[in-house]
Each structure stands twice: as C-alpha cells, then as structure tokens.
Amino acid sequence: AQSVTQLDSHVSVSEGTPVLLRCNYSSSYSPSLFWYVQHPNKGLQLLLKYTSAATLVKGINGFEAEFKKSETSFHLTKPSAHMSDAAEYFCVVSRRSQGNLIFGKGTKLSVKP
Amino acid sequence: DTAVSQTPKYLVTQMGNDKSIKCEQNLGHDTMYWYKQDSKKFLKIMFSYNNKELIINETVPNRFSPKSPDKAHLNLHINSLELGDSAVYFCASRLGQGGYNEQFFGPGTRLTVL
C-alpha cells in the first residue's frame, strides 16, 4: 500500500525567505514521487518528479526536492519565496510500475509582502 | 495550444439531473484519468482508461459512467446528480501506464448541485 502525508496544512512565509514544505511517504514498492502546484481556480501543474535517478531533483520556478529513502521523505524547498508562489502544493506518490497517483492532502503556501 | 481541455468550466444544476463533462487531450497520450477534488482540496482518482479500456474504477457510484470514444477523449456522464457530487472534477492524461511519467491535468470543471 502507498500513502503520502503532508505534515503542514498551511505554511506562511515572508517574501524573500526560504520555503520548506514537508512530505513523508509510505510505499511497499520503489516509488515515483511528484510535487504538483495548484494556483487558485486553476488546474495542477507539475513542479518536479523523482523516478530513481538523482536524489536531489530540481524543478521549475526555483523549487527543488530531495528524496531521502532512510527518512521516507521528499520535502520541497525554495531558497527565496516570491508572491507568485502562493498556492496549494500537493505531494504525490506512485508505483513506478503502475500509474495510479496517490495525493497528499495538500499544503497551502501563503507569502506575505 | 491547450494540452488537456475540459468543458464546461462551470456547471450548475439541480439535484436529480443528468450531466456530462467532456475531456480532450492533444498530447498523443494513451492513458486518461478522472479525479474528484472535494471542498477540502483532497484529490482522489475515480477512473483510468488506457487505449479506450477501463483500467481503474475506484469506489465510485454507478451513477458515474465514463466513456472513451477514442484515445484522445474521456467523457464523464453523471446520472441523478446528488448534493454530494458538488466538487471540482479534473481530467488528466499520461503517456503509458508506468508511474514514472507525470500526468498532465486539465483546468477542472466546477460542478455545483443545488
């Protein structure tokens, strides 16, 4: 069985400060892991994905995430938040051999000026 | 060009009605999905089709019937709509069924049942 836990339902940061969105996963199989972002009233956009290559994954808009098998974590980071980063972020796990995506409950990121 | 498109974007209807949501992708993908996002933003898969064949059918009432006329289209028909069906419905597509490929999502259809 697979599951994803996003440890914070809401994170608030000031513009220009670092962002950390935490995600832990559980998987009986080698997982693929994704971060998606959803801006208000929009669809989901892929930020980055891990599928067994480098454990440090770089994505769009300056985001990156590190796969840590020993900690079963896949936290999302960004060195400096921008106002346009305010959105809902979803951590997602999938079995590499099958495409069913399991979503976390989401973390809402607020960015203060 | 829109990769995954859905129509309509908004749908407001009365309980008991029947409605359809259409989805089209122009990415050449062979696997398509329907997801439901509830009021708490939780996303859950409903159906998956690969090459027009049903692959995944989660615990969804049989009032929901997906139809895939070809690989580029996956429509969702809902009979006898209930208040609890109010949600945002997302269509998605992917190349192949392997979990290593990302899914591409449509903009969503916000269904409100009165």
Side-chain angles (χ1 to χ4, degrees), chain A residues 50-66:
Chain A
Y50 165 78
T51 56
S52 83
T55 55
L56 182 62
V57 182
K58 293 189 186 297
I60 62 172
N61 300 333
F63 285 95
E64 62 181 40
E66 187 170 8

Side-chain angles (χ1 to χ4, degrees), chain B residues 4-8 11 18-25 31-35 46-54 56-57 60-79 89-93 109:
Chain B
V4 183
S5 59
Q6 295 179 227
T7 53
L11 187 52
D18 303 337
K19 289 294 178 187
S20 292
I21 306 172
K22 295 187 176 182
C23 177
E24 176 181 4
Q25 53 94 3
T31 307
M32 296 185 72
Y33 305 82
W34 277 110
Y35 289 86
M46 301 173 68
F47 300 101
S48 167
Y49 269 72
N50 177 257
N51 284 319
K52 304 194 297 174
E53 289 192 25
L54 182 64
I56 296 170
N57 182 352
V60 176
N62 58 15
R63 298 181 294 103
F64 290 79
S65 53
K67 282 191 171 50
S68 182
D70 55 56
K71 287 197 304 184
H73 296 83
L74 181 62
N75 304 322
L76 184 65
H77 188 76
I78 316 170
N79 290 326
Y89 292 84
F90 286 99
C91 177
S93 73
T109 296

Side-chain angles (χ1 to χ4, degrees), chain A residues 16-59:
Chain A
T17 64
V19 175
L20 170 63
L21 304 184
R22 298 181 296 164
C23 172
N24 287 116
Y25 69 92
S26 172
S27 178
S28 306
Y29 307 91
S30 296
S32 290
L33 290 156
F34 307 83
W35 276 99
Y36 280 86
V37 61
Q38 184 179 26
H39 287 93
N41 298 313
K42 299 287 186 187
L44 286 92
Q45 181 186 18
L46 179 72
L47 277 178
L48 49 80
K49 67 176 181 180
Y50 165 78
T51 56
S52 83
T55 55
L56 182 62
V57 182
K58 293 189 186 297

